[in-house]
């Protein structure tokens, strides 16, 4: 939230970044102590604070590999309607790229498979659901899991074009997406599958 853009990330010095990360980690630990006093106390709080600083610094090194972006939303709550079903969703993050396109990002603590977003009954439907059932559809360039684990960080994503995120290929290279000739065809399939699921749920289908 404080940096906001790739330009700000590139410009900040090491000492200023360390200070920013330390402050953010302290705030996070303090919040957890207030919510769950027994979970973090004394020495454990100090260890967790240092762990968080190292973790986020390593993650920001991954962000530096990207091209221009601006963070336009963080932890944004929205209502999404699919068929007769109205859902409350919270988006971890939405980035706007240099050409105005958006990428929707969800944070994970492990590397997930993008296959969980594909198929008639996706295990992880939130990102495709937001993409196809909201006004962001017209600006959507992709959906991404940002996996943040020490020593294993990066993006697992389904994106319209190659290199929108470091090391991520265009959607048609992935198993489960090869049958779609265009990005628009993939979005249309997502819309149909999610609508079918919502219709089934509302009619009592509990599969």
């Amino acid at each position: 939230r404080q940096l906001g853009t790739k330009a700000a990330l590139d410009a900040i010095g090491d000492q200023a970044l360390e200070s920013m990360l330390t402050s953010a980690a302290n705030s996070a630990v303090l919040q957890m102590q207030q919510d769950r006093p027994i979970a973090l106390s004394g020495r454990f709080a100090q260890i967790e604070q240092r762990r968080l600083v190292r973790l986020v610094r390593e993650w920001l090194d991954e962000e530096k590999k990207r091209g221009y972006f601006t963070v336009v939303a963080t932890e944004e709550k929205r209502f999404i309607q699919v068929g007769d079903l109205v859902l409350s969703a919270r988006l971890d993050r939405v980035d706007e790229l240099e050409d105005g396109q958006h990428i929707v990002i969800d944070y994970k603590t492990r590397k997930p498979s993008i296959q969980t977003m594909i198929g008639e009954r996706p295990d992880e439907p939130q990102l495709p659901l937001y993409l196809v059932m909201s006004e962001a559809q017209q600006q959507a360039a992709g959906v991404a899991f940002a996996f943040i684990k020490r020593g294993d960080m990066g993006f697992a994503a389904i994106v319209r074009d190659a290199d929108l995120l470091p090391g991520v290929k265009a959607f048609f290279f992935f198993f489960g997406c090869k049958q779609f000739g265009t990005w628009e065809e993939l979005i249309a399939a997502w819309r149909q599958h999610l609508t079918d699921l919502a219709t089934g749920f509302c009619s009592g289908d509990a599969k």
Side-chain angles (χ1 to χ4, degrees):
R1 289 194 182 110
Q2 292 180 59
L3 288 171
T5 67
K6 172 66 171 1
L9 175 60
D10 289 339
I12 192 169
D14 290 342
Q15 187 172 351
L17 180 61
E18 182 75 14
S19 177
M20 182 182 294
L21 296 182
T22 299
S23 176
N26 285 339
S27 297
V29 169
L30 180 61
Q31 184 64 54
M32 183 174 287
Q33 287 176 322
Q34 292 173 348
D35 294 341
R36 292 184 290 172
I38 299 177
L40 279 180
S41 59
R43 181 71 172 155
F44 289 112
Q46 297 175 20
I47 293 171
E48 177 64 2
Q49 187 272 340
R50 289 199 296 270
R51 186 190 75 87
L52 289 173
V53 170
R54 290 196 300 269
L55 188 72
V56 180
R57 189 190 300 115
E58 186 177 340
W59 172 249
L60 291 179
D61 286 340
E62 290 296 316
E63 296 273 18
K64 288 181 178 180
K65 299 175 184 178
R66 298 177 58 190
Y68 173 88
F69 64 84
T70 297
V71 180
V72 294
T74 56
E75 296 189 319
E76 183 173 272
K77 293 183 179 180
R78 292 194 180 183
F79 289 100
I80 299 173
Q81 182 160 357
V82 49
D84 292 330
L85 197 61
V86 179
L87 302 171
S88 175
R90 188 180 71 175
L91 306 171
D92 283 347
R93 176 173 160 187
V94 180
D95 284 3
E96 183 174 285
L97 306 181
E98 192 168 15
D99 62 359
Q101 296 284 309
H102 287 181
I103 291 181
V104 186
I105 298 172
D106 189 38
Y107 291 112
K108 298 290 184 182
T109 55
R110 56 177 176 76
K111 184 176 182 178
S113 168
I114 65 167
Q115 301 301 325
T116 59
M117 292 190 283
I118 300 172
E120 294 183 4
R121 302 182 67 84
D123 293 326
E124 293 273 5
Q126 181 177 340
L127 294 183
L129 185 66
Y130 169 75
L131 194 69
V132 303
M133 296 298 174
S134 74
E135 67 277 5
Q137 176 193 152
Q138 302 302 320
Q139 301 169 298
V143 289
F145 294 123
F147 53 96
I148 304 179
K149 180 181 179 181
R150 289 211 71 193
D152 185 21
M153 296 193 176
F155 292 97
I158 300 177
V159 294
R160 185 194 59 202
D161 303 311
D163 299 324
L164 290 179
L165 293 169
V168 176
K169 299 177 181 179
F171 72 96
F172 48 78
F173 282 101
F174 293 106
F175 178 78
C177 292
K178 292 182 182 295
Q179 71 269 35
F180 304 114
T182 65
W183 178 247
E184 289 71 26
E185 287 181 19
L186 171 58
I187 289 180
W190 264 333
R191 183 186 297 107
Q192 186 62 57
H193 293 157
L194 294 167
T195 301
D196 290 346
L197 284 174
T199 301
F201 180 84
C202 289
S203 63
D205 183 358
K207 283 190 295 186

